[in-house]
Amino acid sequence: MTGWADYMPQELLDAFSAETGVAVEYIGYDTTEAAIAALAQGVVYDLMVVSYQFIPDLVSNGAIVPINYANIPNARNLSANFRDLAFDPGNRYSVVYQWGATGLLIRTDLLDRPIMRWSDLWDPALDGKILLWPIPRDTVSVLLKSLGFSINTTNPVHLATALERAPDFARRLGWVEEGVDSAAQDLVSGEYAVALGWAYDALDAQRQSDHIAYITPGEGTILWVDSFVIPAVSAQQALAEQFIDFFLRLDISALVTNELAIATANEVSWPLVKPEFRNSEVIFPSLATLQRAELELPLDPITQAMYDNI
């Protein structure tokens, strides 16, 4: 199985192996693009955790197979909010693993004025002090948001503006190093004052420093969803589905959230989540935050090429 590095608790893998007698090798990746490229080059995975926006292409390319829900009775535990989503109508090919919102981590003691919006990233005082992850679509989304555009814009004027401004933006950025699983250390050290991050980054950083705030910018946040998919090359589809069903048990889904500080879509498990996590709007964003949020949608080939240029 493959997924983001440090994204699958060893306790879960050990529990599955103890129950089934099947050893699970979890191979961590740094980007979904890298895992999909490895799959295309012949690497065999029996199960993958991928970012949702890649699922339509995986389906159209025949790289993943439909899921047999007869083997996943615990799918009934998923919240209705995470069924029949636009990137996989009817959930034919994917089952949501974890989800959350994207925000900004701020070193409040290093700034002369608060940061409240994506557009504040253009403040000259932040030159060289902004840290992003080397994830192509997320980087373009941050740039588009900072310019006041939708992360899914197909407007050629918006995209031309973003392309024109991209070099200036890039010169002001630093990048999380490969193999690093949290932006916390670069904020705690003071090397950067602002970092793109998620709930686990925020909690990790705040455990180490009293000077770190987490905000969802006023223009609206970017939602993310990671899902299980089963590659067509797998000879173990039923076993992969058994693993998904195991994950969707109440205690196991709660274990993952309690271990990773990332929201689960298994709403039946929420009473087993630590109260401080269950009641945290950093981990489980408020309805108001969700109503102003966007998902990164699949792009048509022409628009995708423009995003790639940016």
Side-chain angles (χ1 to χ4, degrees):
M1 181 192 335
T2 190
W4 294 98
D6 299 311
Y7 198 32
M8 190 71 62
Q10 188 61 45
E11 187 176 347
L12 184 164
L13 301 178
D14 292 344
F16 182 78
S17 296
E19 180 171 309
T20 64
V22 176
V24 181
E25 180 185 9
Y26 184 80
I27 302 169
Y29 62 66
D30 289 318
T31 67
T32 302
E33 290 93 336
I36 292 174
L39 183 69
Q41 292 164 8
V43 176
V44 176
Y45 301 117
D46 292 315
L47 189 61
M48 299 178 73
V49 177
V50 301
S51 299
Y52 69 91
Q53 58 267 51
F54 295 94
I55 291 174
D57 279 346
L58 290 171
V59 171
S60 65
N61 294 336
I64 57 177
V65 296
I67 289 173
N68 180 4
Y69 280 94
N71 293 327
I72 312 178
N74 286 323
R76 62 180 178 269
N77 295 336
L78 286 171
S79 165
N81 291 330
F82 292 93
R83 300 180 190 182
D84 200 31
L85 298 176
F87 58 84
D88 182 19
N91 293 92
R92 292 190 60 216
Y93 293 88
S94 66
V95 174
V96 174
Y97 176 51
Q98 303 291 98
W99 69 281
T102 304
L104 295 174
L105 283 67
I106 314 293
R107 267 294 296 263
T108 55
D109 58 325
L110 298 181
L111 301 177
D112 293 330
R113 65 183 184 88
I115 290 179
M116 303 300 294
R117 302 178 63 82
W118 295 107
S119 58
D120 292 335
L121 295 177
W122 288 99
D123 185 341
L126 295 178
D127 284 359
K129 293 294 183 180
I130 302 169
L131 184 68
L132 296 187
W133 293 81
I135 303 172
R137 182 71 186 268
D138 285 357
T139 301
V140 177
S141 291
V142 172
L143 175 59
L144 290 171
K145 277 292 191 185
S146 77
L147 296 171
F149 305 142
S150 165
I151 61 174
N152 300 303
T153 183
T154 60
N155 185 317
V157 175
H158 294 174
L159 296 174
T161 301
L163 182 61
E164 180 183 358
R165 300 293 299 276
D168 287 338
F169 196 54
R171 282 192 286 270
R172 311 175 67 248
L173 305 175
W175 303 96
V176 177
E177 294 183 4
E178 184 175 340
V180 174
D181 60 3
S182 171
Q185 65 184 43
D186 292 315
L187 283 176
V188 172
S189 70
E191 183 176 359
Y192 294 94
V194 182
L196 189 74
W198 302 278
Y200 56 90
D201 294 291
L203 296 178
D204 185 20
Q206 289 171 344
R207 280 192 290 265
Q208 300 178 56
S209 172
D210 294 330
H211 300 295
I212 294 175
Y214 176 83
I215 66 132
T216 50
E219 302 97 327
T221 189
I222 304 164
L223 294 182
W224 60 268
V225 178
D226 288 329
S227 298
F228 289 111
V229 297
I230 301 176
V233 294
S234 172
Q236 303 287 346
Q237 180 174 352
L239 183 61
E241 290 161 348
Q242 184 179 358
F243 184 91
I244 297 171
D245 190 63
F246 183 81
F247 160 73
L248 288 172
R249 293 183 188 179
L250 278 61
D251 58 329
I252 300 300
S253 288
L255 180 157
V256 174
T257 291
N258 289 333
E259 178 75 18
L260 301 183
I262 302 173
T264 176
N266 182 344
E267 66 179 352
V268 186
S269 75
W270 292 346
L272 300 181
V273 173
K274 296 175 184 178
E276 63 268 30
F277 286 0
R278 188 172 68 246
N279 299 322
S280 169
E281 291 190 6
V282 175
I283 298 174
F284 289 93
S286 69
L287 179 60
T289 296
L290 295 178
Q291 288 174 334
R292 290 183 290 109
E294 291 185 280
L295 282 169
E296 293 173 344
L297 301 177
L299 304 170
D300 64 82
I302 293 176
T303 304
Q304 182 63 60
M306 298 177 76
Y307 275 62
D308 292 343
N309 286 340
I310 296 168

